[in-house]
Amino acid sequence: MSLKTLGQFIIERQADFPYAKGELSRLLRDIGIASKIVNREVNKAGLVDILGAQGTRNVHGENVAKLDIYANDQFIGALGSGGETSAIASEENDEIVPITTKVSKQAKYVVCVDPLDGSSNIDVNVSIGSIFAIYRRLDSDKPYIEADFLQPGTAQVAAGYVIYGSSTMLVYTTGHGVNGFTLDPSIGEFCLSHPDMKCPETGSIYSINEGNYSRFPDGVKKYIKHCQVDDDATGRPYASRYIGSLVADFHRNLLKGGIFIYPSTAKSPNGKLRLLYECNPLAFIIEQAGGKASDGQQRILDLVPTALHQRTPFFIGSTEMVNHAEELMGV
Ligand code: AHM
Ligand code: MG
């Protein structure tokens, strides 16, 4: 069987968008380029003086590792020079980043990105990822506005993630199923390795930071107990697996079946994860793979954002498991 590269696949799939002129395809190509450059640095992180905290804090008050900055620069650079993105919302930037090249000002799309998620795992050689969501601007005849970024997740035209793991993979959807590409380092290309990915209807893995147990809502505590009960018929107790890298936890559960939960806590009523560039893109992917994503009460993709960096409780994975967790949350 011959290898199909990401570039070939994107061109073939352009037919899914009969009215498009190839801009989205080029934008996806730009993301592929940025992630290959980030991958190169992630892979040699132990060798060069790029490891470790930079000594600054990002807009959320968290320590910023050098690779976060590097990855952010790469995504902004690649999307900027590609010419199809008019502005970017990034986890690393408080404000929207405008792209000021002549062509980009007219570009149809805006991109939300978490350039390097799970960065506390960089120093210990554990999988990390990049996450992106692409929206068509509300009015491409005028300059971009914040409302372009505050569209509900249902308006995403494409979304994806890159996992820098034991191998590097790019997984994306344009609303026509989910496809995964593994980076072949010998030729420097992402190659189709996981066509038409589907999330099992149910699974036997639950992923949650149980250290926060005492701060969880009652419904989440009940769900954790449900996972731990001995029941041969449903294969319980389930296995607890939590990496602390959203992309890695999500990717495993997508392939094997399972549920990932980052709920509200007594200290953080909106949870920790960010709607625009963490939850919405993964929610789009899981739905396209037959799974489900919820904030515990309602569908993630239906939430109407009010701020760029807003957080939301997050329940995502196999449909049956998310449904059960929602029931215990009182939906
Ligand atoms: P980050 O954006 O600062 O990297 O934080 C997001 C990460 C996710 O990858 C992961 O799911 C979560 O934080 C883990 O948080 P916690 O350590 O509270 O369990
Ligand atoms: Mg993040």
Side-chain angles (χ1 to χ4, degrees), residues 58 60 62-63 68 91-92 114 116-121 131 208-209 212 242-249 260 262 272-274 277-278:
N58 69 10
H60 313 291
E62 300 151 338
N63 258 333
D68 291 21
E91 178 170 336
E92 298 301 335
D114 184 349
L116 206 61
D117 184 68
S119 44
S120 64
N121 280 319
I131 313 174
I208 186 167
N209 186 343
N212 295 326
Y242 190 74
I243 297 170
S245 248
L246 175 61
V247 168
D249 280 310
F260 173 94
Y262 207 111
K272 175 181 184 186
L273 300 176
R274 262 68 63 139
Y277 41 78
E278 292 177 328

Side-chain angles (χ1 to χ4, degrees), residues 31 34-35 38 71-80 88 113 115 130 164:
I31 287 176
S35 54
V38 173
N72 197 34
D73 291 347
Q74 295 312 317
F75 275 94
I76 293 172
L79 292 171
I88 299 169
V113 64
S130 305
Y164 311 98

